[in-house]
Amino acid sequence: MLQIGDWDRIVLTGGSGFLGRRLRAALPSGTDVVEVVSPARFASHQQVGTMSSASSTAAFAARLAGARSILLLHLATRYVPSGAPCDIDELLESNVMFPSQIGRAHV
């Protein structure tokens, strides 16, 4: 069974949300966490290791450089109750393309 200590670095999206705050608090001290927050929350949530989700793939790659193994905990989500066809692009961008960008940055 894998454990948190098996990873060089943890990338946490949604760290300012309900689950993310609790998960972050439960991580052992000294865990290397890159917390990714929305641009709207970035200004008020800056701390060591925090990045804006609007960062470029190159910026993510620079922050993840040197880590042999990365665990991506993608807890952020965009939810639209109506689920109208006009929402599909935004939902795909937030929930699929964005975590893919982080994955590409580590390749």
Side-chain angles (χ1 to χ4, degrees), residues 34 51-65 101-102 105-106:
V34 177
M51 293 185 72
S52 168
S53 61
S55 298
S56 66
T57 301
F60 284 119
R63 179 61 178 92
L64 302 178
Q101 176 187 5
I102 295 173
H106 184 57

Side-chain angles (χ1 to χ4, degrees), residues 7-75:
W7 306 97
D8 290 340
R9 193 162 294 145
I10 295 174
V11 178
L12 175 63
T13 70
S16 60
F18 180 80
L19 290 175
R21 284 192 315 268
R22 283 153 183 79
L23 177 67
R24 175 104 170 151
L27 292 173
S29 67
T31 302
D32 186 359
V33 178
V34 177
E35 189 171 337
V36 182
V37 298
S38 69
R41 292 189 179 185
F42 184 67
S44 63
H45 195 75
Q46 289 186 24
Q47 58 189 25
V48 174
T50 302
M51 293 185 72
S52 168
S53 61
S55 298
S56 66
T57 301
F60 284 119
R63 179 61 178 92
L64 302 178
R68 292 169 297 144
S69 59
I70 292 183
L71 174 62
L72 172 59
L73 298 172
H74 181 46
L75 302 178

